[in-house]
Amino acid sequence: FTIEDAKLWSPETPHLYLVSTRVETANADGEWVATGAHCHEANVGICYVLYSDDNAQTWQPSRGELVIYTDNGAFHGVFEPSVAEVEPGTLLMFMRNLLGRIFESWSYDHGESWSPPRPTQLAASGSPPVLKKLPLGNHLLCVWNQQSAAEIERGYFRTRLSASVSR
């Protein structure tokens, strides 16, 4: 959504608020991706992506917004996404949530559309991961708070800072 869209909000929609927006990645071809999340309630986060193919002169929303639907039909929010370009045109997004894992989504069309979020193998608390492409080679760096389910149940949140590099 845009600032112009926000002008259309009525007083009857007080629960919609912006959690985060940030410019995530740009490549040599002038393609940019910005990510964000908005909430309808405190734990109902929805991630979105804006992309630009003209060096950030204009921005377009990607098709659809990202939320987690589990096999039993439950809905879970995702928040504070982070995106990195894996190879030209292919983007990987990591998102925080409250399910004990970092979730990922893939775009194979420069950010125009995204796969449904799926859990990674990275155990995590509800803190945001940061995903960046390293300048040398074709590797990604992820920094996050690694927590096991048992640690989360004991009340340990954001206590162990972890970093991992892709192979």
Side-chain angles (χ1 to χ4, degrees):
F1 61 90
T2 67
I3 296 300
E4 291 302 312
D5 294 331
K7 291 178 183 176
L8 302 175
W9 293 348
S10 69
E12 290 78 35
T13 58
H15 299 293
L16 181 63
Y17 58 94
L18 186 64
V19 173
S20 63
T21 299
R22 59 184 166 197
V23 174
E24 289 285 349
T25 186
N27 66 22
D29 296 329
E31 296 172 336
W32 293 69
V33 172
T35 62
H38 57 88
C39 293
H40 292 280
E41 299 290 343
N43 290 323
V44 184
I46 300 171
C47 289
Y48 63 88
V49 176
L50 302 173
Y51 66 94
S52 173
D53 59 7
D54 59 7
N55 210 22
Q57 295 302 305
T58 61
W59 294 88
Q60 302 297 320
S62 63
R63 285 180 258 143
E65 295 178 313
L66 300 169
V67 296
I68 298 170
Y69 292 100
T70 59
D71 292 338
N72 64 1
F75 167 83
H76 295 277
V78 287
F79 309 87
E80 298 177 288
S82 187
V83 172
E85 185 176 50
V86 176
E87 58 186 46
T90 300
L91 305 173
L92 173 60
M93 178 191 305
F94 278 2
M95 297 158 278
R96 82 171 178 91
N97 60 78
L98 301 175
L99 296 175
R101 295 264 181 244
I102 294 173
F103 272 60
E104 68 181 10
S105 178
W106 289 86
S107 173
Y108 300 99
D109 55 11
H110 305 271
E112 290 183 40
S113 62
W114 294 85
S115 66
R118 297 285 177 239
T120 68
Q121 294 181 359
L122 302 176
S125 67
S127 61
V130 176
L131 185 64
K132 296 292 179 189
K133 186 168 187 175
L134 297 176
L136 298 175
N138 229 6
H139 300 288
L140 301 178
L141 170 68
C142 180
V143 178
W144 81 105
N145 289 113
Q146 181 179 1
Q147 304 297 143
S148 69
E151 289 168 322
I152 292 170
E153 287 174 10
R154 288 195 309 263
Y156 296 112
F157 292 98
R158 302 179 184 207
T159 55
R160 187 179 344 140
L161 186 62
S162 299
S164 184
V165 176
S166 66
R167 292 186 235 169

